[in-house]
Each structure stands twice: as structure tokens, then as C-alpha cells.
Amino acid sequence: MSHRINHALQPPGLIKKSAGAKIKFLAVVGALTLGALGSASAQPAAAQADVQQLISKELGDLPGKEGLVLRVTYPPGSSDPVHRHDAHGFVYVEEGSVVMQVRGGQPVTLQAGQVFYEGPNDVHVVGRNASKTKPAKLVVFLVKSKGAPVLTLVP
């Protein structure tokens, strides 16, 4: 029961990634978020997501691929810039609620215990905490090319 447009599924489980990749990911997300917010904003900017790499593991039976597991905490009102992962991404909502959408799909609001999938050709156009008052926590499992960036911004 896998549909390209309806990415919300009930979850079986998840995984995450390493420290070097975490630093690169945070730098990219931070730069993108700051660029997307602009300098002339009259309102204070929402806090950026906190990303922790839990594990990164080369996948020996998939040459040139690695698995990466991340824990992402979105503060209230936080959102991502438009981006892609060039990876198979499985997002498990651990706590709170998030809104996710890939280009060509409908926005999906996910609650704790639900899963979202992004394919390697998907552009993630909406990724945000659905709440302005409570944090949201995700576990993200990526299968990607070894050494490839975790995130690429899309204009």
C-alpha cells in the first residue's frame, strides 16, 4: 500500500546518522533557513530545527550506499526551506505534529506514530511543525549515495 502522493503510513520503526554529516547538514539547513527568512523580516524568526546524527553506516550489500539516521526537533512554528535529499527518506513522527508535502503531492499532517516517505527525485516543498506552541520530534532514516550531501536546497 505505497502511493507516491499519499506519503502518510503507519510505521514499523526507524534509524539515523553520524557527526560529520550532522555538522554539514546543520550548516546547510541553517544557511538555507536564514536565507529563506531574509533580513527585512518585521517579526522574529522561528527557531531552527535541531538535527542530531544518530548513526551513519555503509551498506555493504548495496555498493556505494549508506544508511543515515537523524533525530530532528522542530521548535514551535519552525519550518524547512524547499529542498531535496537525493535519497530514499523515511520520516517517523516521534512526538507532536508536522505538515509534509512533496512537489506534485498534497500536504499531509502527520501525528506521533505516523510515517512519511520521500523518494530520491522528490522535492520537499513543505516541512514544518504544525504547532506554534509545541515542539515536534522526528526520526529520519535515509538511504543515500555514500558521501553525497544530506540536503540540497532547491530554488
Side-chain angles (χ1 to χ4, degrees):
M1 181 180 123
S2 176
H3 301 278
R4 295 290 296 153
I5 301 301
N6 183 4
H7 295 318
L9 303 172
Q10 286 303 101
L14 300 159
I15 309 172
K16 281 205 174 183
K17 192 169 180 169
S18 78
K22 176 186 172 186
I23 293 170
K24 290 179 188 175
F25 179 78
L26 289 173
V28 171
V29 169
L32 294 175
T33 301
L34 290 174
L37 294 173
S39 58
S41 177
Q43 297 180 351
Q48 297 175 21
D50 175 53
V51 180
Q52 299 174 337
Q53 183 175 325
L54 301 178
I55 189 172
S56 177
K57 178 74 175 159
E58 187 171 344
L59 303 174
D61 59 340
L62 296 172
K65 299 291 183 181
E66 65 183 345
L68 173 65
V69 180
L70 306 168
R71 172 169 282 130
V72 180
T73 302
Y74 285 105
S78 180
S79 65
D80 291 333
V82 176
H83 66 276
R84 64 181 305 128
H85 294 287
D86 295 320
H88 291 279
F90 301 87
V91 179
Y92 172 75
V93 182
E94 193 172 37
E95 179 182 312
S97 180
V98 295
V99 179
M100 299 285 178
Q101 179 182 8
V102 295
R103 187 170 286 154
Q106 295 296 315
V108 178
T109 301
L110 302 155
Q111 308 296 325
Q114 292 185 306
V115 173
F116 181 82
Y117 169 78
E118 287 181 60
N121 297 316
D122 287 332
V123 174
H124 196 164
V125 295
V126 175
R128 66 177 173 84
N129 186 338
S131 174
K132 302 270 189 225
T133 60
K134 297 178 183 174
K137 295 182 181 181
L138 313 174
V139 175
V140 179
F141 172 56
L142 299 172
V143 176
K144 65 180 201 64
S145 295
K146 187 174 182 199
V150 172
L151 174 100
T152 302
L153 295 178
V154 176

Short mmCIF file of all heavy atoms in Angstrom, two decimals, residues 31-76:
data_model
loop_
_atom_site.label_atom_id
_atom_site.label_comp_id
_atom_site.label_asym_id
_atom_site.label_seq_id
_atom_site.Cartn_x
_atom_site.Cartn_y
_atom_site.Cartn_z
N ALA A 31 21.98 27.81 6.96
CA ALA A 31 22.18 28.80 5.89
C ALA A 31 20.91 28.97 5.07
O ALA A 31 20.52 30.08 4.73
CB ALA A 31 23.34 28.37 5.00
N LEU A 32 20.26 27.87 4.76
CA LEU A 32 19.04 27.93 3.98
C LEU A 32 17.92 28.62 4.72
O LEU A 32 17.19 29.44 4.18
CB LEU A 32 18.60 26.53 3.58
CG LEU A 32 19.53 25.83 2.62
CD1 LEU A 32 19.09 24.40 2.37
CD2 LEU A 32 19.59 26.58 1.31
N THR A 33 17.79 28.29 5.99
CA THR A 33 16.71 28.87 6.78
C THR A 33 16.93 30.37 6.92
O THR A 33 16.00 31.15 6.75
CB THR A 33 16.63 28.20 8.16
OG1 THR A 33 16.41 26.80 7.96
CG2 THR A 33 15.50 28.78 8.99
N LEU A 34 18.16 30.77 7.20
CA LEU A 34 18.44 32.20 7.33
C LEU A 34 18.22 32.92 6.01
O LEU A 34 17.65 34.00 5.96
CB LEU A 34 19.88 32.42 7.81
CG LEU A 34 20.14 32.00 9.25
CD1 LEU A 34 21.62 32.13 9.58
CD2 LEU A 34 19.31 32.83 10.21
N GLY A 35 18.64 32.30 4.91
CA GLY A 35 18.42 32.91 3.59
C GLY A 35 16.96 33.02 3.26
O GLY A 35 16.50 33.99 2.68
N ALA A 36 16.19 32.00 3.61
CA ALA A 36 14.75 32.00 3.31
C ALA A 36 14.02 33.04 4.14
O ALA A 36 13.02 33.60 3.71
CB ALA A 36 14.16 30.61 3.58
N LEU A 37 14.50 33.31 5.34
CA LEU A 37 13.83 34.27 6.20
C LEU A 37 14.11 35.71 5.77
O LEU A 37 13.29 36.59 5.99
CB LEU A 37 14.29 34.08 7.65
CG LEU A 37 13.87 32.76 8.29
CD1 LEU A 37 14.51 32.62 9.66
CD2 LEU A 37 12.36 32.68 8.40
N GLY A 38 15.26 35.93 5.16
CA GLY A 38 15.60 37.27 4.71
C GLY A 38 15.98 38.16 5.87
O GLY A 38 15.76 37.85 7.02
N SER A 39 16.52 39.32 5.56
CA SER A 39 16.99 40.20 6.61
C SER A 39 15.99 41.29 6.95
O SER A 39 16.14 41.99 7.93
CB SER A 39 18.32 40.84 6.20
OG SER A 39 18.13 41.54 4.99
N ALA A 40 14.93 41.46 6.15
CA ALA A 40 13.98 42.55 6.37
C ALA A 40 12.72 42.09 7.09
O ALA A 40 11.73 42.80 7.09
CB ALA A 40 13.62 43.18 5.03
N SER A 41 12.75 40.94 7.71
CA SER A 41 11.56 40.43 8.39
C SER A 41 11.22 41.29 9.59
O SER A 41 12.07 41.58 10.42
CB SER A 41 11.80 38.98 8.82
OG SER A 41 10.69 38.50 9.52
N ALA A 42 9.94 41.68 9.69
CA ALA A 42 9.50 42.51 10.81
C ALA A 42 9.23 41.67 12.05
O ALA A 42 9.27 42.17 13.16
CB ALA A 42 8.24 43.28 10.42
N GLN A 43 8.95 40.37 11.88
CA GLN A 43 8.66 39.50 13.00
C GLN A 43 9.91 38.70 13.34
O GLN A 43 10.71 38.40 12.48
CB GLN A 43 7.52 38.54 12.66
CG GLN A 43 6.22 39.24 12.37
CD GLN A 43 5.13 38.24 12.01
OE1 GLN A 43 5.39 37.06 11.83
NE2 GLN A 43 3.93 38.73 11.90
N PRO A 44 10.04 38.31 14.62
CA PRO A 44 11.19 37.48 14.97
C PRO A 44 11.11 36.14 14.26
O PRO A 44 10.03 35.58 14.10
CB PRO A 44 11.08 37.32 16.49
CG PRO A 44 9.74 37.83 16.88
CD PRO A 44 9.19 38.62 15.74
N ALA A 45 12.25 35.65 13.84
CA ALA A 45 12.30 34.37 13.12
C ALA A 45 12.04 33.21 14.08
O ALA A 45 12.44 33.24 15.24
CB ALA A 45 13.68 34.20 12.49
N ALA A 46 11.34 32.20 13.56
CA ALA A 46 11.12 30.98 14.35
C ALA A 46 12.47 30.28 14.50
O ALA A 46 13.33 30.36 13.63
CB ALA A 46 10.12 30.06 13.65
N ALA A 47 12.65 29.61 15.62
CA ALA A 47 13.89 28.89 15.85
C ALA A 47 14.07 27.80 14.80
O ALA A 47 13.11 27.25 14.28
CB ALA A 47 13.87 28.28 17.25
N GLN A 48 15.32 27.50 14.49
CA GLN A 48 15.64 26.47 13.51
C GLN A 48 15.54 25.08 14.12
O GLN A 48 15.66 24.91 15.33
CB GLN A 48 17.07 26.68 12.99
CG GLN A 48 17.26 27.98 12.27
CD GLN A 48 18.72 28.18 11.90
OE1 GLN A 48 19.48 27.23 11.82
NE2 GLN A 48 19.10 29.41 11.65
N ALA A 49 15.36 24.11 13.26
CA ALA A 49 15.30 22.71 13.71
C ALA A 49 16.67 22.30 14.25
O ALA A 49 17.71 22.72 13.74
CB ALA A 49 14.90 21.81 12.55
N ASP A 50 16.66 21.48 15.28
CA ASP A 50 17.88 20.90 15.84
C ASP A 50 18.02 19.51 15.23
O ASP A 50 17.09 18.70 15.32
CB ASP A 50 17.78 20.80 17.35
CG ASP A 50 18.97 20.09 17.96
OD1 ASP A 50 20.11 20.48 17.67
OD2 ASP A 50 18.75 19.11 18.71
N VAL A 51 19.15 19.23 14.60
CA VAL A 51 19.37 17.95 13.94
C VAL A 51 20.54 17.24 14.60
O VAL A 51 21.63 17.79 14.72
CB VAL A 51 19.67 18.15 12.43
CG1 VAL A 51 19.89 16.81 11.76
CG2 VAL A 51 18.55 18.92 11.76
N GLN A 52 20.28 16.01 15.04
CA GLN A 52 21.32 15.18 15.66
C GLN A 52 21.51 13.94 14.83
O GLN A 52 20.55 13.23 14.53
CB GLN A 52 20.91 14.76 17.07
CG GLN A 52 20.70 15.89 18.03
CD GLN A 52 20.14 15.38 19.36
OE1 GLN A 52 19.55 14.32 19.43
NE2 GLN A 52 20.34 16.16 20.40
N GLN A 53 22.74 13.67 14.44
CA GLN A 53 23.03 12.43 13.72
C GLN A 53 23.18 11.31 14.74
O GLN A 53 23.96 11.40 15.68
CB GLN A 53 24.31 12.59 12.92
CG GLN A 53 24.63 11.36 12.11
CD GLN A 53 25.83 11.57 11.23
OE1 GLN A 53 26.05 12.66 10.73
NE2 GLN A 53 26.62 10.54 11.05
N LEU A 54 22.40 10.25 14.55
CA LEU A 54 22.45 9.12 15.48
C LEU A 54 23.41 8.03 15.00
O LEU A 54 24.11 7.43 15.81
CB LEU A 54 21.05 8.53 15.68
CG LEU A 54 20.01 9.50 16.22
CD1 LEU A 54 18.66 8.82 16.34
CD2 LEU A 54 20.44 10.08 17.57
N ILE A 55 23.41 7.76 13.69
CA ILE A 55 24.30 6.74 13.14
C ILE A 55 24.43 6.94 11.64
O ILE A 55 23.51 7.40 10.98
CB ILE A 55 23.80 5.31 13.45
CG1 ILE A 55 24.86 4.26 13.06
CG2 ILE A 55 22.48 5.03 12.78
CD1 ILE A 55 24.53 2.84 13.51
N SER A 56 25.58 6.58 11.13
CA SER A 56 25.83 6.52 9.69
C SER A 56 26.54 5.20 9.45
O SER A 56 27.51 4.89 10.14
CB SER A 56 26.73 7.68 9.25
OG SER A 56 27.01 7.56 7.87
N LYS A 57 26.03 4.43 8.50
CA LYS A 57 26.60 3.10 8.29
C LYS A 57 26.65 2.78 6.80
O LYS A 57 25.64 2.87 6.10
CB LYS A 57 25.72 2.06 9.02
CG LYS A 57 26.14 0.64 8.85
CD LYS A 57 27.38 0.34 9.65
CE LYS A 57 27.70 -1.16 9.55
NZ LYS A 57 29.04 -1.45 9.84
N GLU A 58 27.85 2.43 6.32
CA GLU A 58 27.98 1.97 4.94
C GLU A 58 27.20 0.66 4.80
O GLU A 58 27.25 -0.20 5.68
CB GLU A 58 29.45 1.75 4.60
CG GLU A 58 29.68 1.43 3.16
CD GLU A 58 31.16 1.41 2.79
OE1 GLU A 58 31.99 1.94 3.57
OE2 GLU A 58 31.48 0.87 1.72
N LEU A 59 26.46 0.55 3.70
CA LEU A 59 25.63 -0.63 3.47
C LEU A 59 26.36 -1.56 2.52
O LEU A 59 26.30 -1.41 1.29
CB LEU A 59 24.26 -0.21 2.91
CG LEU A 59 23.49 0.77 3.80
CD1 LEU A 59 22.23 1.25 3.11
CD2 LEU A 59 23.19 0.15 5.15
N GLY A 60 27.07 -2.54 3.07
CA GLY A 60 27.95 -3.43 2.31
C GLY A 60 27.27 -4.17 1.18
O GLY A 60 27.88 -4.42 0.15
N ASP A 61 26.00 -4.53 1.35
CA ASP A 61 25.31 -5.27 0.29
C ASP A 61 24.66 -4.34 -0.74
O ASP A 61 24.06 -4.80 -1.70
CB ASP A 61 24.28 -6.24 0.87
CG ASP A 61 23.23 -5.55 1.70
OD1 ASP A 61 23.45 -4.42 2.15
OD2 ASP A 61 22.16 -6.16 1.91
N LEU A 62 24.81 -3.04 -0.55
CA LEU A 62 24.36 -2.04 -1.53
C LEU A 62 25.58 -1.16 -1.84
O LEU A 62 25.75 -0.09 -1.23
CB LEU A 62 23.21 -1.18 -0.96
CG LEU A 62 21.91 -1.91 -0.65
CD1 LEU A 62 20.94 -0.99 0.07
CD2 LEU A 62 21.29 -2.47 -1.91
N PRO A 63 26.43 -1.57 -2.77
CA PRO A 63 27.68 -0.85 -3.03
C PRO A 63 27.44 0.64 -3.29
O PRO A 63 26.55 1.03 -4.04
CB PRO A 63 28.23 -1.53 -4.28
CG PRO A 63 27.62 -2.90 -4.27
CD PRO A 63 26.25 -2.73 -3.64
N GLY A 64 28.24 1.46 -2.60
CA GLY A 64 28.18 2.90 -2.77
C GLY A 64 27.06 3.58 -1.99
O GLY A 64 26.87 4.79 -2.09
N LYS A 65 26.31 2.82 -1.19
CA LYS A 65 25.19 3.39 -0.42
C LYS A 65 25.49 3.36 1.07
O LYS A 65 26.25 2.53 1.56
CB LYS A 65 23.89 2.62 -0.68
CG LYS A 65 23.43 2.65 -2.12
CD LYS A 65 22.98 4.03 -2.53
CE LYS A 65 22.46 4.03 -3.96
NZ LYS A 65 22.05 5.34 -4.40
N GLU A 66 24.85 4.30 1.78
CA GLU A 66 24.95 4.32 3.23
C GLU A 66 23.59 4.62 3.83
O GLU A 66 22.74 5.24 3.19
CB GLU A 66 25.98 5.35 3.70
CG GLU A 66 25.62 6.79 3.38
CD GLU A 66 26.70 7.79 3.80
OE1 GLU A 66 27.59 7.43 4.59
OE2 GLU A 66 26.64 8.94 3.33
N GLY A 67 23.40 4.14 5.05
CA GLY A 67 22.20 4.46 5.81
C GLY A 67 22.56 5.53 6.82
O GLY A 67 23.66 5.53 7.39
N LEU A 68 21.65 6.44 7.03
CA LEU A 68 21.87 7.55 7.96
C LEU A 68 20.61 7.73 8.78
O LEU A 68 19.51 7.75 8.23
CB LEU A 68 22.18 8.83 7.17
CG LEU A 68 22.29 10.13 7.94
CD1 LEU A 68 23.47 10.10 8.90
CD2 LEU A 68 22.40 11.29 6.99
N VAL A 69 20.76 7.85 10.10
CA VAL A 69 19.61 8.09 10.96
C VAL A 69 19.83 9.40 11.70
O VAL A 69 20.89 9.62 12.30
CB VAL A 69 19.39 6.95 11.97
CG1 VAL A 69 18.20 7.24 12.86
CG2 VAL A 69 19.18 5.64 11.23
N LEU A 70 18.80 10.25 11.65
CA LEU A 70 18.84 11.57 12.29
C LEU A 70 17.66 11.73 13.23
O LEU A 70 16.59 11.20 12.97
CB LEU A 70 18.74 12.68 11.23
CG LEU A 70 19.73 12.64 10.07
CD1 LEU A 70 19.30 13.61 8.99
CD2 LEU A 70 21.12 12.95 10.57
N ARG A 71 17.85 12.49 14.29
CA ARG A 71 16.73 12.93 15.13
C ARG A 71 16.60 14.43 14.88
O ARG A 71 17.57 15.18 15.02
CB ARG A 71 16.96 12.67 16.60
CG ARG A 71 15.85 13.34 17.46
CD ARG A 71 15.84 12.93 18.90
NE ARG A 71 15.23 11.61 18.96
CZ ARG A 71 15.77 10.57 19.59
NH1 ARG A 71 16.93 10.68 20.20
NH2 ARG A 71 15.14 9.41 19.62
N VAL A 72 15.40 14.84 14.49
CA VAL A 72 15.14 16.25 14.18
C VAL A 72 14.10 16.77 15.16
O VAL A 72 13.03 16.16 15.31
CB VAL A 72 14.64 16.43 12.73
CG1 VAL A 72 14.38 17.90 12.42
CG2 VAL A 72 15.65 15.84 11.74
N THR A 73 14.40 17.88 15.81
CA THR A 73 13.44 18.52 16.70
C THR A 73 13.10 19.88 16.12
O THR A 73 13.98 20.73 15.94
CB THR A 73 14.02 18.68 18.13
OG1 THR A 73 14.38 17.40 18.63
CG2 THR A 73 13.00 19.33 19.05
N TYR A 74 11.82 20.05 15.77
CA TYR A 74 11.33 21.33 15.27
C TYR A 74 10.75 22.11 16.44
O TYR A 74 9.78 21.68 17.06
CB TYR A 74 10.19 21.13 14.27
CG TYR A 74 10.57 20.66 12.90
CD1 TYR A 74 10.35 19.35 12.51
CD2 TYR A 74 11.12 21.55 11.98
CE1 TYR A 74 10.67 18.92 11.24
CE2 TYR A 74 11.45 21.12 10.71
CZ TYR A 74 11.22 19.80 10.35
OH TYR A 74 11.54 19.38 9.09
N PRO A 75 11.29 23.29 16.74
CA PRO A 75 10.67 24.14 17.75
C PRO A 75 9.29 24.59 17.25
O PRO A 75 9.00 24.49 16.05
CB PRO A 75 11.63 25.33 17.84
CG PRO A 75 12.91 24.86 17.26
CD PRO A 75 12.54 23.85 16.22
N PRO A 76 8.45 25.09 18.14
CA PRO A 76 7.14 25.59 17.70
C PRO A 76 7.29 26.59 16.55
O PRO A 76 8.15 27.47 16.59
CB PRO A 76 6.59 26.28 18.95
CG PRO A 76 7.27 25.57 20.09
CD PRO A 76 8.64 25.24 19.57
#
